[in-house]
Amino acid sequence: MAESKKKSVPPSALHKLPAGTSESQGPLTDLLSPEEMEKLSALQIVDLIVGKLPPRHPSILDMVYLRERVAGLEEMNYQAREAIEKLDAIVEKLRSPAFRVGTFLMPIESDKAHVCISGTDYVCRIDPQIPLSSLQVGQRVLCNEAFAVVQGLGFDRNGPIVRVDELLSDGRLRIGQETGLMPLVLQRSSLLAKEKLRPGLEVRLDVNQRVALEVVGVGKRVERSLETVTELPWGAIGGQDEAVQAIRDTIELPILHRDLFKRFEHSVPKGFLLYGPPGCGKTLLGKATAYNLRQQIKTHTGVDRPEFFLHVKGPEILNMWVGESERQVRDLFAQCRERASEGALAFLFVDEAESILGTRRAGRYHSILSTLVPMFCTEMDGLEPLQNVVVILASNRADLIDPAILRPGRIDRKIKVRRPDQAGSQRIYEIYLRESLPLAEPKTDLAAAVAQAQFARTPENQFLEVVYRSGKKDILHRGDLASGAIIAAIVERAKSLAIKRSIETKMPTTLTREDLLKAFESEYAENDLFPSTDLTEDWLKLTDFDPDNVVKLGPVKPRKNESLGAGIV
Ligand code: ADP
């Protein structure tokens, strides 16, 4: 540093050297004590020596040169020392222990605070430089080695999400156990102090799970429950005898003859999968299972166990929030277990199950599926077979359901729900053409007539054209696409035709064969169960064809039924 060059000889040393001293004077060590010599820098010593030389002494120029060199060395020394000091400070900093981050819970006196660090509570001193008023409940604070609060860090941006179960009178929140924790009581952060909260809302907690920081969602509980299933004896379902028998064997027998099954060590499933085309009664069969089981148990044991039927659609569970879908599934099982423990017969019916329990699906929901399937399996494994909860899955595409779900001990019974054939369709017509209705003919005759028309292999009934990969073509007739839903809708249309006629003629009328036939025509022409597009993909969903074998599947053109059906109803 430049300063070192200018450093002059200290006065205490100079005054010992008489003015105008000459070369006759003795060495400096005689003039100054060893301590004084020690205090002098090399540059100062050079200056003293020069001062002792007589004017114009030949060595003066050498001494000036020496002085320059010494000054340079001193400067270098000085800079090296400074650099070492800086490095020392850095090393010191790097070797010091990490700061801890805690959640500020509340102030205690003006210089102390209640802080939670890694789940443990501390009363920490606050650095006097931090005004207490600048710290807010729920925010993060930096604590040093002595656990003193040395800095405020603002609010955490991450943390678990939980649903508020109850508001306590003092404003604190009680939350449930969906995070796998015991139920907790939490305080609100300063951010939520004045917020209007209500049970069901979802809030985000600080990482220590002591304070509710912010509201993140309305907390939609997937709840499409039918507390009581309406009267639905097996006889109210037509054309599904095989499926009904399979369900009864799977569910009713093991429950009604528990001891027998135990004696034979016969494995009992925890539920079953219903698969088949839409509108053919999968949901109906699910509800009927619940209704009939309750009746059977009542008859056998005299105990009436109310049924709890939780009906959810797979796509409703998919949620863009990470972890939310899993929470919903856990919640569904929790609801069922809760009700079962209260003595109910609990059913979890998952419609369109392939959307959440599917395999071979990439794309948007892939990451959700990869966690949902194992989670669903874990929940299933936690159930006692048929003791408390019966899980029913329904799907149009059983081939897409992950095999892990369908392993023994989980849902290893797959029950096919077929499209009704002519006899089955006739039976369904009979179910909907109740005797209590004003019918023009006996219901069996009406049902037989319309079913026959529906299944006739006439050109008018040609409906879909299939082109197979082999090049072969096939025509599907309307009957090939019959379903319980279509039949129920045809009967409803026929009823409205009869009602209209009654209004127009001002005469009491009955439901006739013609009403049914007209309704049948228009139902196939306008039915919204059929896709409105020509897309093979959409039409494939209605059939059992293996998509790999079919090149094209679409409505027969021109649709014969258009001219017949238009403007009838
Ligand atoms: P899926 O779940 O297979 O799509 P649903 O069970 O929801 O079909 O059926 C829709 C409606 O169609 C039912 O509410 C019922 O009115 C009628 N339905 C379907 N299949 C039958 C059937 N086999 N017997 C009587 N009605 C049926």
Side-chain angles (χ1 to χ4, degrees), residues 10 63 119 166 187 367 424 433 451 465 551:
M63 291 304 285
E166 193 185 338
Q187 58 170 324
S367 57
L433 291 168
E465 188 177 35
V551 184

Side-chain angles (χ1 to χ4, degrees), residues 171-195:
R172 285 176 306 155
L173 315 173
R174 185 184 194 280
I175 61 157
Q177 58 213 117
E178 67 241 77
T179 42
L181 300 167
M182 298 275 290
L184 285 177
V185 172
L186 303 166
Q187 58 170 324
R188 302 169 181 223
S189 70
S190 323
L191 302 175
L192 286 185
K194 296 204 171 82
E195 200 79 17

Side-chain angles (χ1 to χ4, degrees), residues 236-240 276-285 287 349 351 394 396 417 420 428 431-432 483-486 488:
I237 300 174
Q240 295 297 350
C280 288
K282 295 185 291 298
T283 312
L284 207 58
L285 283 164
K287 288 181 193 166
F349 185 91
D351 214 349
N396 293 351
V417 179
I428 302 175
I431 291 169
Y432 289 105
S483 74
I486 292 174

Side-chain angles (χ1 to χ4, degrees), residues 349-420:
F349 185 91
V350 185
D351 214 349
E352 299 175 51
E354 76 284 353
S355 61
I356 53 162
L357 303 175
T359 178
R360 288 204 261 141
R361 288 192 156 213
R364 195 162 153 224
Y365 291 118
H366 184 66
S367 57
I368 297 179
L369 290 181
S370 63
T371 55
L372 266 184
V373 170
M375 226 205 67
F376 200 91
C377 291
T378 311
E379 289 288 348
M380 291 240 37
D381 295 345
L383 298 177
E384 284 287 310
L386 299 183
Q387 293 275 349
N388 39 19
V389 183
V390 177
V391 181
I392 306 176
L393 306 182
S395 174
N396 293 351
R397 299 293 309 273
D399 56 316
L400 288 184
I401 304 263
D402 194 304
I405 302 282
L406 306 174
R407 274 203 205 117
R410 291 180 188 147
I411 296 182
D412 56 348
R413 306 288 151 92
K414 292 201 249 175
I415 298 172
K416 169 95 184 159
V417 179
R418 295 179 195 286
R419 284 197 182 275

